[in-house]
Amino acid sequence: MAKAADTKSASTAKTATKRSRSAAETKKIQAALEERRVELQTEYDQTLVEINELQRERLTDSAGDDTADTGTKTLEREQEISLANNLLERITQVERAIDRLGEGNYGWCEKCGNAIPVERLAAFPSATLCVSCKQLEERR
């Protein structure tokens, strides 16, 4: 029973620490995340336009294609779609970081609850795991 109380008080202490970020820091981080989201959204939109243009070109320029040409075009289209999906995933990660910031959980590991190093957040602002937890996740 004492263990449950200790865990609860440790959790409360972590929550209190999480909320210790100043309003100016929060505003600065949010502005940087919003800017990154806009950049990624612009890149995603441009990528979709390019994919559509390339698809139109492929459709009009397919006369006389053999199976190798068709296969190459299919592979190229799949790669383009994969790149667009990666951009969409990055947008989702940034939006999730913005949500976590609003909840007071930004900068704290989702697994262990420890602070994510500032250097990691500077390199990857939408990080949700500390270095140790991320390494463990990647080993699996």
Side-chain angles (χ1 to χ4, degrees):
M1 194 70 169
K3 222 177 201 185
D6 290 340
T7 305
K8 190 173 185 177
S9 62
S11 174
T12 305
K14 283 182 183 176
T15 303
T17 307
K18 288 180 187 181
R19 305 212 189 288
S20 66
R21 185 177 286 115
S22 73
E25 288 174 319
T26 301
K27 200 173 220 179
K28 183 179 176 183
I29 293 167
Q30 184 165 6
L33 289 170
E34 292 285 350
E35 181 180 334
R36 183 66 181 143
R37 182 177 56 153
V38 169
E39 289 171 3
L40 289 169
Q41 187 65 51
T42 301
E43 188 177 347
Y44 177 73
D45 293 341
Q46 181 62 35
T47 301
L48 290 181
V49 168
E50 290 172 6
I51 288 173
N52 287 332
E53 288 174 6
L54 289 170
Q55 186 62 21
R56 272 189 231 113
E57 289 175 16
R58 286 186 191 118
L59 289 174
T60 59
D61 187 31
S62 61
D65 282 358
D66 61 9
T67 53
D69 291 333
T70 303
T72 300
K73 288 179 181 181
T74 301
L75 177 67
E76 288 172 353
R77 186 172 189 315
E78 287 175 0
Q79 288 174 334
E80 292 158 359
I81 290 171
S82 178
L83 290 172
N85 286 338
N86 287 341
L87 281 169
L88 195 56
E89 175 63 28
R90 289 169 52 200
I91 292 167
T92 303
Q93 289 173 350
V94 171
E95 288 173 345
R96 185 167 174 223
I98 292 169
D99 290 343
R100 292 189 64 195
L101 183 65
E103 296 167 356
N105 297 325
Y106 180 79
W108 298 91
C109 181
E110 288 183 339
K111 255 189 184 168
C112 68
N114 292 330
I116 299 172
V118 175
E119 297 83 9
R120 176 161 169 71
L121 290 172
F124 186 58
S126 55
T128 59
L129 300 175
C130 66
V131 175
S132 301
C133 291
K134 186 63 177 175
Q135 287 173 338
L136 286 172
E137 182 182 87
E138 288 179 352
R139 286 185 195 153
R140 293 180 190 171

